[in-house]
Amino acid sequence: MAAPLAYSLIATDLDGTLLRGDDTLSDRSRDALARAAAAGAQHLVVTGRPAPRVRPLLDDLGGRGLAVCGQGAQVYDVGADRLLFSVTLDRELAETALGKIEAEVGQVYAAVDQDGVDGLTLIEPGYRMPHPTLPAVRVQRRDDLWCAPISKVLLRHHSLTDDELATAARSAVGSLATVTMSGPGTVELQPCGITKATGLALAAEFLGLGPSQTIAFGDMPNDIPMFDWAAHGVAMANAHPELKAVADEITKSNEDDGIAVVLERLFRGR
């Protein structure tokens, strides 16, 4: 009789974690995930990207199950191309939060991810996309950002570091929104109480799994709640110091197939 799996659910962030810097998945990582799947483990993408920006990547991975998108605001059924769960950020609250942040740090530049499987990413004048491969639509003025329901707001500042902007934003917005830092040049506002952990917990429930069966991989502070929820959290070598400080394990970088290194160890001989 085969020994039970150490982990039945593999939760991975995308950018800076599973994907290389050019948005590709290495053959080694692909093979490691395939071996884990053959042994009975399920792979669940847990990302800050909204569902429309994830769909092409999941198609390439051959995924037809669930994905957690939008920092936990969306649980996406890939095969059916529909949202099983979605929560939006109130647009009036978002506008108020931006005003409070700008009162503290001066002008910020904003973008929004619209809700829904066909939602757009809208960027106001002055905002520069931190990830150039992601499509976006430039609008003429900030008011145009609020034309449809949104899942989150993305922020940039001309001189503050990401850590400085995130700290100032948390202090300014209080309970109006959850503030996360999910990558270089990516500080975000999302619905209060929504994190990767809330989305992961809901998706795991749909799959009949729980935290004790879950291993999670990430690279940024927005992955901390996911690590707190999962039984085992693995930070990449390129991870932010805040995430490394709470990780159970540190693996190689995303460029050096860090996820594959761990999965090959866990599923060796299966």
Side-chain angles (χ1 to χ4, degrees), residues 51-116:
R53 306 290 90 80
V54 173
R55 186 165 50 217
L57 292 168
L58 295 175
D59 286 343
D60 180 57
L61 282 169
R64 289 294 180 267
L66 303 182
V68 177
C69 305
Q71 305 291 11
Q74 300 171 328
V75 176
Y76 176 48
D77 183 330
V78 183
D81 191 27
R82 67 187 182 98
L83 294 175
L84 301 182
F85 169 82
S86 177
V87 60
T88 59
L89 176 60
D90 182 275
R91 285 168 280 176
E92 290 188 9
L93 285 182
E95 196 167 15
T96 298
L98 281 179
K100 288 180 174 292
I101 294 168
E102 289 186 320
E104 294 293 325
V105 303
Q107 184 177 14
V108 298
Y109 301 102
V112 300
D113 284 336
Q114 293 179 331
D115 189 41

Short mmCIF file of all heavy atoms in Angstrom, two decimals, residues 51-116:
data_model
loop_
_atom_site.label_atom_id
_atom_site.label_comp_id
_atom_site.label_asym_id
_atom_site.label_seq_id
_atom_site.Cartn_x
_atom_site.Cartn_y
_atom_site.Cartn_z
N ALA A 51 -9.11 37.13 -12.84
CA ALA A 51 -9.41 35.95 -13.65
C ALA A 51 -9.10 36.13 -15.15
O ALA A 51 -8.51 35.24 -15.76
CB ALA A 51 -10.87 35.55 -13.46
N PRO A 52 -9.46 37.25 -15.78
CA PRO A 52 -9.18 37.36 -17.22
C PRO A 52 -7.68 37.33 -17.56
O PRO A 52 -7.30 36.91 -18.64
CB PRO A 52 -9.77 38.73 -17.60
CG PRO A 52 -10.78 39.02 -16.54
CD PRO A 52 -10.23 38.41 -15.29
N ARG A 53 -6.83 37.78 -16.61
CA ARG A 53 -5.39 37.79 -16.86
C ARG A 53 -4.75 36.45 -16.53
O ARG A 53 -3.57 36.24 -16.80
CB ARG A 53 -4.72 38.88 -16.01
CG ARG A 53 -5.28 40.28 -16.14
CD ARG A 53 -4.98 40.92 -17.48
NE ARG A 53 -6.02 40.65 -18.47
CZ ARG A 53 -7.17 41.29 -18.54
NH1 ARG A 53 -7.45 42.24 -17.68
NH2 ARG A 53 -8.05 40.99 -19.47
N VAL A 54 -5.51 35.54 -15.93
CA VAL A 54 -4.99 34.23 -15.55
C VAL A 54 -5.37 33.16 -16.57
O VAL A 54 -4.65 32.18 -16.77
CB VAL A 54 -5.53 33.83 -14.15
CG1 VAL A 54 -5.17 32.41 -13.79
CG2 VAL A 54 -4.98 34.78 -13.11
N ARG A 55 -6.50 33.35 -17.23
CA ARG A 55 -7.05 32.31 -18.12
C ARG A 55 -6.04 31.80 -19.16
O ARG A 55 -5.88 30.58 -19.31
CB ARG A 55 -8.30 32.86 -18.79
CG ARG A 55 -9.07 31.85 -19.65
CD ARG A 55 -10.46 32.40 -19.95
NE ARG A 55 -10.40 33.76 -20.46
CZ ARG A 55 -11.28 34.72 -20.17
NH1 ARG A 55 -12.32 34.46 -19.40
NH2 ARG A 55 -11.16 35.92 -20.67
N PRO A 56 -5.29 32.67 -19.87
CA PRO A 56 -4.34 32.14 -20.86
C PRO A 56 -3.25 31.29 -20.23
O PRO A 56 -2.83 30.28 -20.80
CB PRO A 56 -3.77 33.40 -21.51
CG PRO A 56 -4.78 34.47 -21.25
CD PRO A 56 -5.36 34.14 -19.91
N LEU A 57 -2.78 31.68 -19.04
CA LEU A 57 -1.74 30.91 -18.37
C LEU A 57 -2.26 29.55 -17.94
O LEU A 57 -1.56 28.54 -18.05
CB LEU A 57 -1.24 31.69 -17.15
CG LEU A 57 -0.45 32.97 -17.45
CD1 LEU A 57 -0.27 33.78 -16.17
CD2 LEU A 57 0.89 32.64 -18.07
N LEU A 58 -3.48 29.51 -17.42
CA LEU A 58 -4.05 28.24 -16.99
C LEU A 58 -4.32 27.33 -18.17
O LEU A 58 -4.18 26.10 -18.07
CB LEU A 58 -5.33 28.49 -16.19
CG LEU A 58 -5.13 29.24 -14.88
CD1 LEU A 58 -6.47 29.53 -14.23
CD2 LEU A 58 -4.25 28.44 -13.92
N ASP A 59 -4.68 27.91 -19.31
CA ASP A 59 -4.85 27.11 -20.52
C ASP A 59 -3.53 26.43 -20.88
O ASP A 59 -3.49 25.26 -21.26
CB ASP A 59 -5.33 27.97 -21.68
CG ASP A 59 -6.80 28.37 -21.56
OD1 ASP A 59 -7.52 27.72 -20.76
OD2 ASP A 59 -7.22 29.32 -22.25
N ASP A 60 -2.43 27.19 -20.75
CA ASP A 60 -1.11 26.63 -21.06
C ASP A 60 -0.73 25.53 -20.08
O ASP A 60 -0.07 24.55 -20.45
CB ASP A 60 -0.07 27.75 -21.03
CG ASP A 60 1.33 27.25 -21.34
OD1 ASP A 60 1.51 26.66 -22.42
OD2 ASP A 60 2.23 27.43 -20.50
N LEU A 61 -1.16 25.68 -18.82
CA LEU A 61 -0.88 24.66 -17.81
C LEU A 61 -1.77 23.44 -17.96
O LEU A 61 -1.51 22.42 -17.31
CB LEU A 61 -1.10 25.26 -16.41
CG LEU A 61 0.01 26.16 -15.86
CD1 LEU A 61 -0.48 26.86 -14.59
CD2 LEU A 61 1.25 25.37 -15.57
N GLY A 62 -2.80 23.55 -18.77
CA GLY A 62 -3.73 22.45 -18.92
C GLY A 62 -4.72 22.37 -17.78
O GLY A 62 -5.41 21.36 -17.59
N GLY A 63 -4.80 23.45 -16.99
CA GLY A 63 -5.69 23.45 -15.83
C GLY A 63 -7.14 23.60 -16.23
O GLY A 63 -7.49 24.43 -17.06
N ARG A 64 -8.00 22.79 -15.62
CA ARG A 64 -9.44 22.89 -15.88
C ARG A 64 -10.21 22.92 -14.57
O ARG A 64 -11.41 22.75 -14.55
CB ARG A 64 -9.91 21.70 -16.73
CG ARG A 64 -9.43 21.75 -18.18
CD ARG A 64 -10.06 22.92 -18.91
NE ARG A 64 -9.62 23.00 -20.31
CZ ARG A 64 -8.59 23.72 -20.70
NH1 ARG A 64 -7.87 24.39 -19.81
NH2 ARG A 64 -8.25 23.76 -21.97
N GLY A 65 -9.50 23.12 -13.46
CA GLY A 65 -10.14 23.13 -12.15
C GLY A 65 -10.40 24.53 -11.66
O GLY A 65 -10.93 25.38 -12.40
N LEU A 66 -10.00 24.81 -10.43
CA LEU A 66 -10.25 26.10 -9.81
C LEU A 66 -8.96 26.91 -9.73
O LEU A 66 -7.86 26.37 -9.75
CB LEU A 66 -10.81 25.92 -8.40
CG LEU A 66 -12.08 25.10 -8.25
CD1 LEU A 66 -12.52 25.09 -6.78
CD2 LEU A 66 -13.19 25.67 -9.12
N ALA A 67 -9.13 28.23 -9.62
CA ALA A 67 -8.01 29.13 -9.36
C ALA A 67 -8.53 30.25 -8.46
O ALA A 67 -9.68 30.66 -8.57
CB ALA A 67 -7.47 29.72 -10.66
N VAL A 68 -7.68 30.70 -7.56
CA VAL A 68 -7.99 31.84 -6.70
C VAL A 68 -7.32 33.06 -7.32
O VAL A 68 -6.10 33.08 -7.52
CB VAL A 68 -7.49 31.61 -5.27
CG1 VAL A 68 -7.76 32.84 -4.41
CG2 VAL A 68 -8.15 30.38 -4.66
N CYS A 69 -8.12 34.08 -7.64
CA CYS A 69 -7.61 35.24 -8.36
C CYS A 69 -7.91 36.52 -7.58
O CYS A 69 -8.67 36.50 -6.60
CB CYS A 69 -8.25 35.31 -9.75
SG CYS A 69 -8.05 33.81 -10.73
N GLY A 70 -7.32 37.62 -8.04
CA GLY A 70 -7.63 38.92 -7.46
C GLY A 70 -7.32 39.03 -5.99
O GLY A 70 -8.06 39.67 -5.24
N GLN A 71 -6.23 38.40 -5.52
CA GLN A 71 -5.84 38.43 -4.11
C GLN A 71 -6.87 37.76 -3.20
O GLN A 71 -6.97 38.10 -2.02
CB GLN A 71 -5.60 39.87 -3.61
CG GLN A 71 -4.62 40.67 -4.40
CD GLN A 71 -3.18 40.20 -4.26
OE1 GLN A 71 -2.91 39.13 -3.73
NE2 GLN A 71 -2.27 40.99 -4.77
N GLY A 72 -7.63 36.82 -3.73
CA GLY A 72 -8.63 36.12 -2.93
C GLY A 72 -10.05 36.60 -3.16
O GLY A 72 -10.99 36.02 -2.62
N ALA A 73 -10.21 37.65 -3.97
CA ALA A 73 -11.55 38.19 -4.21
C ALA A 73 -12.36 37.34 -5.19
O ALA A 73 -13.57 37.50 -5.28
CB ALA A 73 -11.46 39.62 -4.75
N GLN A 74 -11.69 36.43 -5.91
CA GLN A 74 -12.37 35.62 -6.91
C GLN A 74 -11.95 34.15 -6.78
O GLN A 74 -10.77 33.86 -6.64
CB GLN A 74 -12.02 36.10 -8.32
CG GLN A 74 -12.39 37.54 -8.61
CD GLN A 74 -11.82 38.03 -9.94
OE1 GLN A 74 -10.76 37.60 -10.38
NE2 GLN A 74 -12.55 38.93 -10.58
N VAL A 75 -12.92 33.25 -6.83
CA VAL A 75 -12.65 31.83 -7.04
C VAL A 75 -13.20 31.50 -8.42
O VAL A 75 -14.40 31.61 -8.67
CB VAL A 75 -13.29 30.94 -5.96
CG1 VAL A 75 -13.05 29.47 -6.27
CG2 VAL A 75 -12.72 31.28 -4.58
N TYR A 76 -12.29 31.11 -9.29
CA TYR A 76 -12.58 30.99 -10.73
C TYR A 76 -12.61 29.53 -11.13
O TYR A 76 -11.66 28.78 -10.87
CB TYR A 76 -11.51 31.76 -11.48
CG TYR A 76 -11.56 31.70 -12.99
CD1 TYR A 76 -12.75 31.92 -13.67
CD2 TYR A 76 -10.41 31.46 -13.72
CE1 TYR A 76 -12.78 31.89 -15.06
CE2 TYR A 76 -10.43 31.44 -15.11
CZ TYR A 76 -11.61 31.64 -15.77
OH TYR A 76 -11.65 31.61 -17.14
N ASP A 77 -13.69 29.11 -11.78
CA ASP A 77 -13.79 27.78 -12.37
C ASP A 77 -13.27 27.89 -13.80
O ASP A 77 -13.93 28.45 -14.68
CB ASP A 77 -15.26 27.31 -12.35
CG ASP A 77 -15.44 25.91 -12.88
OD1 ASP A 77 -14.64 25.48 -13.74
OD2 ASP A 77 -16.38 25.22 -12.44
N VAL A 78 -12.07 27.35 -14.01
CA VAL A 78 -11.40 27.55 -15.29
C VAL A 78 -12.14 26.86 -16.43
O VAL A 78 -12.37 27.45 -17.48
CB VAL A 78 -9.95 27.03 -15.21
CG1 VAL A 78 -9.21 27.29 -16.51
CG2 VAL A 78 -9.21 27.67 -14.03
N GLY A 79 -12.52 25.60 -16.22
CA GLY A 79 -13.18 24.85 -17.28
C GLY A 79 -14.49 25.46 -17.72
O GLY A 79 -14.81 25.52 -18.91
N ALA A 80 -15.26 25.95 -16.75
CA ALA A 80 -16.56 26.55 -17.05
C ALA A 80 -16.45 28.03 -17.39
O ALA A 80 -17.44 28.64 -17.83
CB ALA A 80 -17.52 26.37 -15.87
N ASP A 81 -15.27 28.62 -17.18
CA ASP A 81 -15.04 30.05 -17.40
C ASP A 81 -16.09 30.89 -16.67
O ASP A 81 -16.75 31.75 -17.25
CB ASP A 81 -15.06 30.37 -18.90
CG ASP A 81 -14.56 31.79 -19.19
OD1 ASP A 81 -13.76 32.30 -18.39
OD2 ASP A 81 -14.98 32.38 -20.21
N ARG A 82 -16.22 30.62 -15.37
CA ARG A 82 -17.15 31.41 -14.55
C ARG A 82 -16.62 31.56 -13.14
O ARG A 82 -15.79 30.76 -12.68
CB ARG A 82 -18.54 30.77 -14.52
CG ARG A 82 -18.61 29.43 -13.80
CD ARG A 82 -19.98 28.79 -13.96
NE ARG A 82 -20.07 27.52 -13.25
CZ ARG A 82 -20.62 27.39 -12.04
NH1 ARG A 82 -21.14 28.45 -11.43
NH2 ARG A 82 -20.68 26.21 -11.45
N LEU A 83 -17.08 32.59 -12.47
CA LEU A 83 -16.68 32.84 -11.09
C LEU A 83 -17.64 32.12 -10.15
O LEU A 83 -18.85 32.35 -10.19
CB LEU A 83 -16.68 34.34 -10.81
CG LEU A 83 -15.64 35.16 -11.58
CD1 LEU A 83 -15.83 36.65 -11.31
CD2 LEU A 83 -14.22 34.73 -11.23
N LEU A 84 -17.08 31.27 -9.29
CA LEU A 84 -17.89 30.63 -8.26
C LEU A 84 -18.08 31.55 -7.07
O LEU A 84 -19.03 31.41 -6.31
CB LEU A 84 -17.21 29.34 -7.79
CG LEU A 84 -16.95 28.27 -8.85
CD1 LEU A 84 -16.31 27.04 -8.20
CD2 LEU A 84 -18.23 27.90 -9.58
N PHE A 85 -17.14 32.48 -6.92
CA PHE A 85 -17.20 33.44 -5.81
C PHE A 85 -16.55 34.72 -6.28
O PHE A 85 -15.53 34.70 -6.97
CB PHE A 85 -16.46 32.90 -4.59
CG PHE A 85 -16.24 33.92 -3.50
CD1 PHE A 85 -17.24 34.19 -2.58
CD2 PHE A 85 -15.03 34.59 -3.39
CE1 PHE A 85 -17.04 35.12 -1.57
CE2 PHE A 85 -14.82 35.53 -2.37
CZ PHE A 85 -15.84 35.78 -1.46
N SER A 86 -17.15 35.85 -5.95
CA SER A 86 -16.57 37.13 -6.32
C SER A 86 -17.07 38.19 -5.34
O SER A 86 -18.27 38.25 -5.03
CB SER A 86 -16.97 37.51 -7.75
OG SER A 86 -16.47 38.78 -8.09
N VAL A 87 -16.15 39.00 -4.86
CA VAL A 87 -16.53 40.12 -4.00
C VAL A 87 -15.88 41.38 -4.56
O VAL A 87 -14.72 41.34 -5.00
CB VAL A 87 -16.11 39.88 -2.53
CG1 VAL A 87 -14.62 39.69 -2.41
CG2 VAL A 87 -16.58 41.02 -1.63
N THR A 88 -16.61 42.46 -4.60
CA THR A 88 -16.11 43.69 -5.19
C THR A 88 -15.74 44.71 -4.11
O THR A 88 -16.21 44.64 -2.97
CB THR A 88 -17.15 44.32 -6.14
OG1 THR A 88 -18.35 44.59 -5.41
CG2 THR A 88 -17.45 43.38 -7.30
N LEU A 89 -14.91 45.63 -4.51
CA LEU A 89 -14.53 46.75 -3.65
C LEU A 89 -15.47 47.92 -3.96
O LEU A 89 -15.55 48.36 -5.11
CB LEU A 89 -13.07 47.14 -3.93
CG LEU A 89 -12.51 48.36 -3.20
CD1 LEU A 89 -12.57 48.18 -1.69
CD2 LEU A 89 -11.08 48.63 -3.65
N ASP A 90 -16.17 48.39 -2.95
CA ASP A 90 -17.10 49.50 -3.14
C ASP A 90 -16.34 50.69 -3.75
O ASP A 90 -15.32 51.13 -3.23
CB ASP A 90 -17.72 49.88 -1.79
CG ASP A 90 -18.72 51.00 -1.93
OD1 ASP A 90 -18.30 52.18 -1.92
OD2 ASP A 90 -19.92 50.71 -2.07
N ARG A 91 -16.88 51.21 -4.85
CA ARG A 91 -16.14 52.24 -5.57
C ARG A 91 -16.10 53.56 -4.82
O ARG A 91 -15.11 54.30 -4.91
CB ARG A 91 -16.75 52.40 -6.97
CG ARG A 91 -16.38 51.25 -7.90
CD ARG A 91 -17.19 51.26 -9.18
NE ARG A 91 -18.51 50.68 -8.96
CZ ARG A 91 -19.46 50.62 -9.88
NH1 ARG A 91 -19.25 51.14 -11.08
NH2 ARG A 91 -20.62 50.05 -9.62
N GLU A 92 -17.12 53.89 -4.07
CA GLU A 92 -17.08 55.11 -3.26
C GLU A 92 -16.04 54.99 -2.16
O GLU A 92 -15.30 55.94 -1.87
CB GLU A 92 -18.46 55.41 -2.68
CG GLU A 92 -19.47 55.86 -3.72
CD GLU A 92 -20.77 56.33 -3.07
OE1 GLU A 92 -20.82 56.45 -1.83
OE2 GLU A 92 -21.74 56.57 -3.81
N LEU A 93 -15.98 53.80 -1.53
CA LEU A 93 -14.96 53.58 -0.51
C LEU A 93 -13.56 53.66 -1.12
O LEU A 93 -12.64 54.20 -0.51
CB LEU A 93 -15.15 52.22 0.16
CG LEU A 93 -16.30 52.06 1.15
CD1 LEU A 93 -16.29 50.65 1.74
CD2 LEU A 93 -16.18 53.10 2.26
N ALA A 94 -13.40 53.10 -2.31
CA ALA A 94 -12.10 53.13 -2.97
C ALA A 94 -11.67 54.56 -3.25
O ALA A 94 -10.51 54.93 -3.02
CB ALA A 94 -12.16 52.33 -4.27
N GLU A 95 -12.60 55.37 -3.73
CA GLU A 95 -12.27 56.77 -4.02
C GLU A 95 -11.93 57.52 -2.74
O GLU A 95 -10.98 58.32 -2.70
CB GLU A 95 -13.45 57.43 -4.74
CG GLU A 95 -13.10 58.73 -5.42
CD GLU A 95 -14.19 59.19 -6.36
OE1 GLU A 95 -15.33 58.68 -6.30
OE2 GLU A 95 -13.90 60.08 -7.18
N THR A 96 -12.67 57.24 -1.67
CA THR A 96 -12.37 57.86 -0.38
C THR A 96 -11.00 57.43 0.13
O THR A 96 -10.22 58.25 0.64
CB THR A 96 -13.45 57.48 0.66
OG1 THR A 96 -14.71 57.97 0.21
CG2 THR A 96 -13.12 58.07 2.03
N ALA A 97 -10.70 56.15 -0.01
CA ALA A 97 -9.40 55.64 0.43
C ALA A 97 -8.26 56.31 -0.33
O ALA A 97 -7.23 56.69 0.27
CB ALA A 97 -9.35 54.13 0.24
N LEU A 98 -8.41 56.48 -1.64
CA LEU A 98 -7.38 57.16 -2.42
C LEU A 98 -7.17 58.59 -1.92
O LEU A 98 -6.03 59.06 -1.82
CB LEU A 98 -7.77 57.18 -3.90
CG LEU A 98 -7.54 55.89 -4.70
CD1 LEU A 98 -8.00 56.10 -6.14
CD2 LEU A 98 -6.09 55.49 -4.67
N GLY A 99 -8.26 59.27 -1.61
CA GLY A 99 -8.14 60.63 -1.10
C GLY A 99 -7.39 60.68 0.22
O GLY A 99 -6.57 61.58 0.44
N LYS A 100 -7.66 59.73 1.09
CA LYS A 100 -6.96 59.68 2.38
C LYS A 100 -5.47 59.39 2.19
O LYS A 100 -4.61 59.97 2.89
CB LYS A 100 -7.60 58.62 3.28
CG LYS A 100 -8.97 59.00 3.83
CD LYS A 100 -9.53 57.90 4.70
CE LYS A 100 -10.84 58.32 5.36
NZ LYS A 100 -10.63 59.40 6.38
N ILE A 101 -5.14 58.51 1.27
CA ILE A 101 -3.73 58.20 1.01
C ILE A 101 -3.01 59.42 0.45
O ILE A 101 -1.91 59.77 0.88
CB ILE A 101 -3.62 56.99 0.05
CG1 ILE A 101 -4.15 55.73 0.72
CG2 ILE A 101 -2.17 56.79 -0.40
CD1 ILE A 101 -4.35 54.56 -0.24
N GLU A 102 -3.66 60.10 -0.50
CA GLU A 102 -3.02 61.27 -1.11
C GLU A 102 -2.88 62.41 -0.11
O GLU A 102 -1.95 63.22 -0.21
CB GLU A 102 -3.80 61.71 -2.35
CG GLU A 102 -3.64 60.71 -3.50
CD GLU A 102 -4.26 61.17 -4.80
OE1 GLU A 102 -5.37 61.76 -4.75
OE2 GLU A 102 -3.65 60.94 -5.85
N ALA A 103 -3.76 62.49 0.88
CA ALA A 103 -3.61 63.49 1.92
C ALA A 103 -2.36 63.25 2.75
O ALA A 103 -1.80 64.18 3.33
CB ALA A 103 -4.85 63.49 2.83
N GLU A 104 -1.90 61.99 2.79
CA GLU A 104 -0.72 61.63 3.57
C GLU A 104 0.57 61.70 2.76
O GLU A 104 1.61 62.14 3.26
CB GLU A 104 -0.87 60.21 4.14
CG GLU A 104 -1.97 60.07 5.17
CD GLU A 104 -1.67 60.83 6.44
OE1 GLU A 104 -0.49 60.89 6.82
OE2 GLU A 104 -2.62 61.36 7.05
N VAL A 105 0.52 61.26 1.50
CA VAL A 105 1.78 61.09 0.75
C VAL A 105 1.84 61.90 -0.54
O VAL A 105 2.81 61.81 -1.28
CB VAL A 105 2.00 59.59 0.41
CG1 VAL A 105 2.01 58.75 1.66
CG2 VAL A 105 0.95 59.07 -0.58
N GLY A 106 0.82 62.70 -0.83
CA GLY A 106 0.79 63.41 -2.10
C GLY A 106 0.21 62.54 -3.20
O GLY A 106 -0.36 61.49 -2.95
N GLN A 107 0.38 62.96 -4.42
CA GLN A 107 -0.27 62.29 -5.55
C GLN A 107 0.18 60.84 -5.70
O GLN A 107 1.37 60.53 -5.62
CB GLN A 107 0.02 63.03 -6.85
CG GLN A 107 -0.70 62.44 -8.06
CD GLN A 107 -0.47 63.24 -9.33
OE1 GLN A 107 0.42 64.08 -9.39
NE2 GLN A 107 -1.28 62.99 -10.35
N VAL A 108 -0.79 59.98 -5.90
CA VAL A 108 -0.52 58.60 -6.31
C VAL A 108 -1.16 58.40 -7.68
O VAL A 108 -2.03 59.17 -8.11
CB VAL A 108 -1.07 57.56 -5.30
CG1 VAL A 108 -0.42 57.71 -3.95
CG2 VAL A 108 -2.59 57.65 -5.19
N TYR A 109 -0.72 57.35 -8.36
CA TYR A 109 -1.28 56.98 -9.65
C TYR A 109 -2.00 55.65 -9.47
O TYR A 109 -1.48 54.74 -8.82
CB TYR A 109 -0.19 56.89 -10.70
CG TYR A 109 0.55 58.19 -10.87
CD1 TYR A 109 1.81 58.37 -10.30
CD2 TYR A 109 -0.02 59.25 -11.57
CE1 TYR A 109 2.48 59.57 -10.44
CE2 TYR A 109 0.64 60.46 -11.71
CZ TYR A 109 1.90 60.62 -11.14
OH TYR A 109 2.55 61.81 -11.26
N ALA A 110 -3.20 55.55 -10.04
CA ALA A 110 -4.07 54.41 -9.74
C ALA A 110 -4.49 53.66 -11.00
O ALA A 110 -4.55 54.21 -12.11
CB ALA A 110 -5.32 54.89 -8.99
N ALA A 111 -4.80 52.39 -10.77
CA ALA A 111 -5.40 51.53 -11.79
C ALA A 111 -6.42 50.66 -11.08
O ALA A 111 -6.41 50.54 -9.84
CB ALA A 111 -4.34 50.67 -12.48
N VAL A 112 -7.31 50.06 -11.83
CA VAL A 112 -8.30 49.15 -11.23
C VAL A 112 -8.42 47.89 -12.08
O VAL A 112 -8.22 47.93 -13.30
CB VAL A 112 -9.70 49.79 -11.09
CG1 VAL A 112 -9.64 51.03 -10.21
CG2 VAL A 112 -10.32 50.11 -12.44
N ASP A 113 -8.72 46.79 -11.41
CA ASP A 113 -9.14 45.57 -12.10
C ASP A 113 -10.65 45.48 -11.97
O ASP A 113 -11.18 45.47 -10.86
CB ASP A 113 -8.50 44.33 -11.47
CG ASP A 113 -7.05 44.16 -11.85
OD1 ASP A 113 -6.65 44.69 -12.90
OD2 ASP A 113 -6.30 43.51 -11.08
N GLN A 114 -11.33 45.43 -13.10
CA GLN A 114 -12.78 45.29 -13.07
C GLN A 114 -13.17 43.87 -12.69
O GLN A 114 -12.44 42.91 -12.92
CB GLN A 114 -13.37 45.65 -14.43
CG GLN A 114 -13.22 47.10 -14.81
CD GLN A 114 -13.81 47.41 -16.17
OE1 GLN A 114 -13.85 46.56 -17.05
NE2 GLN A 114 -14.27 48.64 -16.35
N ASP A 115 -14.34 43.73 -12.09
CA ASP A 115 -14.85 42.42 -11.71
C ASP A 115 -15.32 41.66 -12.96
O ASP A 115 -15.57 42.25 -14.01
CB ASP A 115 -16.03 42.60 -10.75
CG ASP A 115 -16.50 41.30 -10.14
OD1 ASP A 115 -15.64 40.48 -9.78
OD2 ASP A 115 -17.72 41.10 -10.04
N GLY A 116 -15.43 40.33 -12.81
CA GLY A 116 -16.00 39.52 -13.89
C GLY A 116 -14.95 38.82 -14.73
O GLY A 116 -13.77 39.21 -14.75
#
